[in-house]
Amino acid sequence: MAARSVGSRLMVYDRTCGGRWGLPGLTFSWRLGGVLYRALGRLDDWKGVASWPEALDWLLARSRERPIAEIQFWGHGNWGCVLIDRVPMDGRALEPSHPWHARLAELRERLVPGGDSLWWFRTCETFGTARGHAFAKAWTRFFGCRAAGHTYVIGPWQSGLHSLRPGEEPHWPVEEGVPPEVRTGMRHALWSGPRVPNTITCLHGRVPPGF
């Protein structure tokens, strides 16, 4: 908790998810969430972005004067990755040969030291399946911080929330949130709900203890 008193709490969201036929899309919901969370004192700043380089550049610019205690990303996800404008970021981005690696390595130095800072992927199913386990382990080891993510498709209910610290092994089942139909080609996890393990709502601003 001490880290949050000295570091910024920042959120980025995918601004490319507009609705069809003039209707509001998910970007509208994520923007509204940023406004609400800022008003409630849960965030110090937030920004909608259209690409991963834009997201990382903003985080780096925003942390020049003050380290980061928490980063939340609101957008789409799939098993073992997160997406902006349908472009995935997965464990390959942490490799030295990847074009985003230098930004990620620089951002690592902007986190509050001590391993207590948090990356929270408020995205569908990112921590699900063996791919999600591998992503969680790679991310925490690279950044030396805690990471949190979900194993279910999320919305107002956000289920399967788990967090991992560097050096830990994932403690949630590899099949959590995975439908039986996945072997026949289903590409997404089960939907969140109030009776599903480790469920919060979109109004929760903290990872509960034990998750």
Side-chain angles (χ1 to χ4, degrees):
M1 297 299 292
R4 288 179 182 154
S5 66
V6 298
S8 297
R9 298 164 298 171
L10 306 175
M11 184 266 270
V12 292
Y13 68 89
D14 185 348
R15 72 166 186 260
T16 70
C17 296
R20 297 181 179 179
W21 305 296
L23 297 174
L26 285 172
T27 287
F28 175 80
S29 299
W30 297 328
R31 184 188 302 119
L32 186 62
V35 172
L36 176 63
Y37 271 41
R38 178 71 180 270
L40 293 173
R42 296 174 179 175
L43 294 172
D44 295 302
D45 206 354
W46 54 272
K47 183 176 177 63
V49 296
S51 69
W52 283 111
E54 182 184 1
L56 298 174
D57 287 345
W58 180 77
L59 289 168
L60 287 169
R62 190 58 179 76
S63 58
R64 286 195 185 109
E65 303 298 329
R66 188 184 183 197
I68 301 172
E70 180 175 330
I71 299 169
Q72 292 191 29
F73 172 66
W74 295 25
H76 289 298
N78 206 319
W79 292 309
C81 72
V82 287
L83 303 99
I84 293 178
D85 196 20
R86 300 184 181 182
V87 177
M89 177 185 285
D90 55 25
R92 291 173 293 184
L94 306 177
E95 298 173 0
S97 59
H98 197 279
W100 301 337
H101 176 269
R103 289 181 175 94
L104 292 166
E106 186 177 357
L107 186 58
R108 176 176 57 194
E109 303 306 312
R110 305 290 181 87
L111 301 180
V112 169
D116 289 327
S117 52
L118 172 68
W119 273 88
W120 186 356
F121 298 104
R122 301 193 80 158
T123 55
C124 296
E125 66 202 49
T126 295
F127 274 15
T129 75
R131 293 199 298 255
H133 280 204
F135 178 78
K137 289 193 292 185
W139 202 265
T140 55
R141 283 157 173 73
F142 179 86
F143 281 98
C145 73
R146 184 183 176 206
H150 299 264
T151 58
Y152 285 75
V153 174
I154 66 172
W157 295 105
Q158 302 184 351
S159 300
L161 173 58
H162 302 280
S163 65
L164 195 72
R165 292 185 180 276
E168 294 181 344
E169 291 294 319
H171 52 273
W172 57 95
V174 72
E175 69 275 7
E176 183 177 280
V178 180
E181 296 87 353
V182 72
R183 295 189 182 91
T184 63
M186 188 167 182
R187 298 171 58 190
H188 294 288
L190 298 169
W191 280 89
S192 297
R195 298 185 180 180
V196 178
N198 285 40
T199 294
I200 62 171
T201 75
C202 60
L203 299 178
H204 280 80
R206 291 285 180 265
V207 178
F211 277 32

